[in-house]
Each structure stands twice: as C-alpha cells, then as structure tokens.
Amino acid sequence: MVKKHGLKVQAVMSFHQCGGNVGDSCFIPLPRWAVEEIDRDPDLAYTDKNGRRNYEYLSLGCDTMPVLKGRSPVQVYADYMRSFRDTFRNYLGDCIVEIQVGMGPAGELRYPSYPESNGTWRFPGIGEFQCYDKYMLSSLKAAATAIGKPEWGLGGPRDAGCYNNWPEDSDFFRRDGGWSSPYGEFFLHWYSGLLLAHGERILTSAEGVFRHTGVKLSGKVAGIHWHYGSRSHPAELTAGYYNTRLRDGYHPIAAMFGRHGVVLNFTCIEMKDYEQPAEARCSPENLIKQVVLAARKAGVSVAGENALPRYDEGAHKQVVRNSRLTFQDDPHGVVYEPMCAFTFLRMNQTLFQGDNWRLFVSFVRQMAAGKTHNEWEEEHRASELVHATNPLVQEAAAALA
C-alpha cells in the first residue's frame, strides 16, 4: 500500500520494550522467550545499585554470551535483521529506504538510567548508573585489575546519589566532585566505553546484513538536555555519554557511526532553552549544536525527531531552524548538508484537529524548502492545500478516534 502511493518506509529494528518511557502509549514487552530467560537469570537485565532489574533491554554485559538458548543477544539481533532482509528483499532500497537499528532502551544507544515506569525516575533527576548485573561487574573487575587498582572494580561510585537527586546532592556529581578524579575518569571511561563497544557490535552486524540492499542505516542518540549547564553533566553520564564541561562525549559516538556510514538520529530538535525549568540548567539548543558539530567533524549525516508530541507553530519553527544549523565561527567556512531527515511525533487524532493540520501543512512545506516562507504567501498556499485535503483529513481523524 505504501509503495502504491509513492511513499517510503523507515523500518525500525526494535530490540527493546515499548512502554515506560516518555510518550509511550502502549505496552509491548520483550518476546516471551527472552523474558523467560531473564527470569531464569536476572543478571541478563540491567541492574542498579539497589538490585532493581530493568526489563526494557538486555544488558550489554552479556552481548556476546550464548545466554538465549545457545545464541548471544548480538546473534539474535543479527538473525532478526537477516530474516527481515530476506522477507522484504523486493522492497529494500525502493520502498523501504531506511533501517533504523535499535541499540538500547527506546531504541536509543544508552543505558536505561532514567526509567519512568512505577515512578522510579522523574524529570529532571540525574538518574543512576546501570552496571550491577554480574556480567558488567565482571567486566569492571577485570578492567580495574588490569590497571593495578582492584579496589576500583567492586562496583560503581558509592556517592553518585539516587535517580531523583540533583547534581549538588551527590559528592560524585557536584561541581568538583569525584567525576573528575582519577577513579571517576577510570569508571566513566569504562562505562561509556562498553556502550560504544555495544553500538559497534550491533552496527557491524547491521552493516553486514544490509550491505548492497540500497537502504541507509540510522541509529538513535538520546537528547539528554537536563543539567547540561552543570560541569559534570550527570544525566548524560549515567546514560553512558561521557560528556562533561571538560570532555566532548559525542565525538566518539559520531566517529563510531561514521565508521559504519550510519545516520545519527537525534531527539529534542523542537525544544527551546527558555521552555525548560531554569533551575535544572537545561540547554537543548546548545546540546543540539554540540551533537551536530560532532557529527559534521566525523562526516556523519544527522536526522532528527521531536522528543515530545508538539503541534504548535513555535515548535515547528524551531525544528526548521535546527534542521539548517550554521556556525558563524566555523574556521573552514564549509557549507554543510542540511538535516537529512526528520521524524515527526506523531500522527494521531490531535494532528487533524483545529488549526493543527493547517500548521502541519505549512511546516512540511518549510522543511522541504529549508526555510520559513513569506508569511502571506505561505498562509495562502497552506489554505489551498488544507482545503484540498479536507475530506481525507476528516476520514483520518475518524479512523484514529
């Protein structure tokens, strides 16, 4: 049906649970046979310092171990992608033009450090490190022993606070806290390094599976913008992004995407700093600039999506601006390609109500042109298109009711 209408498909290889994160309106757990294995061996699940298990995604600590009825998680992901490729071979590169590869909770390359389910975490908490399953602890112990510091391999930082703390509540994340100590640097290198290695394994598999099919690959990176203005960037650190005032944590991620020719899909493209609570030192605008710049240095294309459902003109204009970011201080004066794609969240009944459809029509036209149009001319053209599509819009709204 999609092909008949001349549209394209972005297929998402989802290896995570749907439910328990921002915007989730349904619950789709991991496959029953995988959940049964976790029930038998709870250490297959990410675990926090209090032993709380997270069933959103299998721990990367067991990536290469035959813990799923003789197969490793990475083998299972590759087998799934291979089956998808073989089933839809005749559509790849023509109708199905992009494969987004899931690499963690919500499909994002990160740890489940801020789980909303059951009220565990609330915005803008700093989150918690997820490194207490036996597989990750074994890796940490080996890394610490290798540098002659076995005492550093017993677990994560003991003074890193709890899910809903603020940076200054914990000795580890406060301004000159443990994050910048030799121990902190060791732990954060190890923790973020495992996440990069996890991404490397999955993207290597995806690249091999979809080579010569004509599809492009993409992967998601989370837009963790709260506490971005602090020195330690704690919410990013607990999620596995070793990004601080002293270190660029997104360049290694972009470089890894670049090695595999993968598009970097980033969230929170619609957000403005002033819309966020000032006390949380949020800065989605500066975060987006940092990620886009890291991607450009690595020669990686950037795609985006809005983090929260938005239907207002202000959010639309912010997306258009962020889709064509320029840097006045670029020493090379290079003209970069615009954002290569944008995923709009989301198509539901609200999109077709009131002024929302008219604003959306105008937004799509502006994204196609890469700029805002003459206001009178745009209003006139958008009105024509809204009138022409009105019967379909009414039908869609009724179907989604």
Side-chain angles (χ1 to χ4, degrees):
M1 185 168 61
V2 169
K3 187 172 183 177
K4 184 179 79 173
H5 288 283
L7 298 174
K8 307 296 182 186
V9 172
Q10 176 206 61
V12 183
M13 305 291 103
S14 297
F15 305 126
H16 61 280
Q17 165 190 293
C18 179
N21 280 295
V22 176
D24 287 343
S25 57
C26 61
F27 181 74
I28 305 171
L30 296 184
R32 185 171 62 186
W33 57 268
V35 172
E36 288 171 354
E37 293 300 325
I38 300 174
D39 288 341
R40 273 194 281 271
D41 180 4
D43 284 291
L44 298 180
Y46 281 119
T47 309
D48 66 19
K49 65 178 183 288
N50 291 315
R52 186 184 286 106
R53 309 287 187 178
N54 188 303
Y55 275 52
E56 285 184 69
Y57 188 82
L58 291 169
S59 168
L60 58 76
C62 60
D63 264 357
T64 60
M65 300 182 181
V67 293
L68 297 175
K69 302 185 187 304
R71 291 184 296 167
S72 72
V74 171
Q75 285 176 319
V76 169
Y77 304 149
D79 288 347
Y80 176 88
M81 290 188 284
R82 198 172 292 112
S83 175
F84 183 92
R85 178 201 65 193
D86 294 344
T87 302
F88 295 100
R89 185 181 295 277
N90 293 337
Y91 294 94
L92 296 177
D94 173 22
C95 177
I96 301 173
V97 295
E98 180 182 340
I99 301 292
Q100 187 179 107
V101 185
M103 292 181 277
E108 298 167 334
L109 179 66
R110 65 173 176 87
Y111 293 100
S113 57
Y114 50 99
E116 285 198 297
S117 57
N118 303 318
T120 303
W121 171 88
R122 295 183 306 278
F123 176 83
I126 59 177
E128 289 191 18
F129 292 113
Q130 306 291 310
C131 59
Y132 291 87
D133 63 79
K134 69 182 181 184
Y135 301 104
M136 289 195 69
L137 285 175
S138 175
S139 169
L140 177 60
K141 181 179 180 181
T145 301
I147 62 166
K149 294 282 187 180
E151 66 277 14
W152 287 359
L154 302 178
R158 296 190 182 94
D159 54 356
C162 301
Y163 285 105
N164 295 306
N165 282 157
W166 290 60
E168 295 304 314
D169 293 337
S170 85
D171 289 336
F172 189 78
F173 291 122
R174 68 176 67 252
R175 180 180 173 83
D176 294 310
W179 62 274
S180 59
S181 68
Y183 162 72
E185 291 177 358
F186 157 77
F187 174 80
L188 293 170
H189 269 291
W190 169 80
Y191 189 70
S192 62
L194 284 193
L195 187 66
L196 285 169
H198 172 70
E200 187 84 47
R201 283 190 284 269
I202 295 181
L203 292 183
T204 297
S205 296
E207 189 182 13
V209 169
F210 292 106
R211 186 178 288 123
H212 307 310
T213 60
V215 299
K216 64 180 177 181
L217 298 178
S218 68
K220 260 174 100 172
V221 175
I224 303 174
H225 57 84
W226 52 104
H227 304 301
Y228 184 84
S230 68
R231 285 174 62 83
S232 63
H233 294 229
E236 292 163 87
L237 296 185
T238 55
Y241 304 156
Y242 191 1
N243 190 57
T244 69
R245 188 75 59 84
L246 311 175
R247 186 180 190 277
D248 183 354
Y250 295 101
H251 179 70
I253 295 172
M256 187 258 290
F257 276 52
R259 284 194 293 275
H260 299 282
V262 174
V263 173
L264 194 159
N265 197 328
F266 197 65
T267 60
C268 75
I269 303 298
E270 84 287 9
M271 291 183 172
K272 298 175 184 173
D273 290 358
Y274 76 79
E275 296 172 333
Q276 312 303 320
E279 63 275 15
R281 306 187 74 178
C282 304
S283 188
E285 294 179 61
N286 284 318
L287 173 59
I288 290 165
K289 288 176 182 175
Q290 182 185 353
V291 171
V292 168
L293 194 56
R296 286 178 178 174
K297 287 178 179 176
V300 171
S301 296
V302 176
E305 64 179 58
N306 46 316
L308 301 172
R310 292 279 294 269
Y311 306 94
D312 58 287
E313 191 173 22
H316 293 165
K317 286 184 174 178
Q318 183 70 356
V319 171
V320 174
R321 276 194 290 270
N322 281 330
S323 72
R324 299 277 171 142
L325 276 179
T326 56
F327 296 86
Q328 293 178 343
D329 57 349
D330 190 321
H332 306 294
V334 178
V335 177
Y336 292 100
E337 287 294 312
M339 191 175 283
C340 66
F342 181 76
T343 302
F344 181 82
L345 302 180
R346 69 188 61 232
M347 186 176 76
N348 55 20
Q349 193 179 17
T350 305
L351 178 62
F352 302 106
Q353 291 175 345
D355 267 352
N356 291 348
W357 178 249
R358 180 181 61 80
L359 293 171
F360 182 70
V361 168
S362 179
F363 166 61
V364 172
R365 282 173 45 77
Q366 291 173 42
M367 285 294 282
K371 61 183 179 181
T372 54
H373 292 91
N374 172 281
E375 197 167 324
W376 181 88
E377 176 190 332
E378 181 52 44
E379 186 74 26
H380 178 69
R381 182 60 182 139
S383 295
E384 288 181 342
L385 290 167
V386 168
H387 179 73
T389 56
N390 192 50
L392 292 172
V393 168
Q394 291 179 346
E395 186 181 335
L400 291 165

